[in-house]
Amino acid sequence: VNNAGIVRDGLVLSMKEADFDQVIDVNLKGAFNMIKHTYSHFMRKRRGRIINITSVIGLSGNAGQANYASAKAGLIGLTKSVAKELAGRGVTCNAIAPGYIATDMTDALSDKVKESMEAVIPMKKAGSPEDIACTAAFLASDAARYITGEVIRVDGGLAM
């Protein structure tokens, strides 16, 4: 499970190139490196599951998050490409796209921002890390053996 993620938010006009690069390096290149280093192992075993944690922001974009949206959209492309490369070897590659999840990263937001985010979610609440973990456990199980190249939104209906 490739779950590393950071944010360095800012409008493109004022975003430092180093902040753009750091988000791409952690959020996208980190997943690429992990996949690259496990690729031949999975091919030899003719079995495996790769799960990339992307974001609904990778599907929709978000003002002030061009770097984050680019990295998460890139993860979707990486997921689909790797899925096509490894499918014939019994290896699946899927992505989970969380919406607003109550985590340490979102705890830093003000209560006002959290309330405004929850207001636009059809389920009217943030998700939990367990919601993502249960989806990952399903994708890693034999019950998901015929699912590959998919992006599963876990977002309370936010991006529908």
Side-chain angles (χ1 to χ4, degrees):
V1 176
N2 291 306
N3 189 37
I6 62 169
V7 293
R8 299 288 183 269
D9 294 347
L11 298 175
V12 169
L13 180 65
S14 59
M15 184 176 290
K16 294 177 185 155
E17 189 173 340
D19 287 341
F20 188 91
D21 291 345
Q22 188 177 24
V23 170
I24 296 294
D25 284 349
V26 172
N27 297 9
L28 178 57
K29 194 171 180 185
F32 165 79
N33 285 328
M34 180 59 79
I35 292 167
K36 184 170 178 61
H37 285 89
T38 58
Y39 196 102
S40 59
H41 171 76
F42 285 143
M43 284 182 52
R44 280 192 307 277
K45 292 282 245 180
R46 298 192 66 80
R47 175 164 168 51
R49 304 283 185 266
I50 300 168
I51 302 165
N52 294 318
I53 306 298
T54 183
S55 171
V56 294
I57 300 304
L59 296 167
S60 64
N62 198 32
Q65 291 191 308
N67 51 2
Y68 185 78
S70 297
K72 295 302 187 174
L75 266 177
I76 293 169
L78 178 63
T79 297
K80 291 178 178 290
S81 295
V82 170
K84 287 182 178 183
E85 289 181 21
L86 291 174
R89 297 286 189 157
V91 180
T92 66
C93 185
N94 292 290
I96 299 171
Y100 175 44
I101 305 296
T103 65
D104 290 343
M105 193 164 76
T106 59
D107 279 347
L109 300 171
S110 71
D111 288 340
K112 185 177 180 180
V113 170
K114 291 177 193 175
E115 289 169 10
S116 68
M117 290 175 73
E118 289 177 351
V120 298
I121 299 169
M123 293 185 85
K124 301 295 183 204
K125 64 180 183 173
S128 72
E130 291 78 18
D131 296 322
I132 307 309
C134 288
T135 306
F138 167 71
L139 288 173
S141 76
D142 283 339
R145 69 185 171 273
Y146 201 60
I147 300 171
T148 195
E150 290 301 318
V151 179
I152 299 176
R153 290 180 301 103
V154 181
D155 66 354
L158 179 65
M160 71 173 152

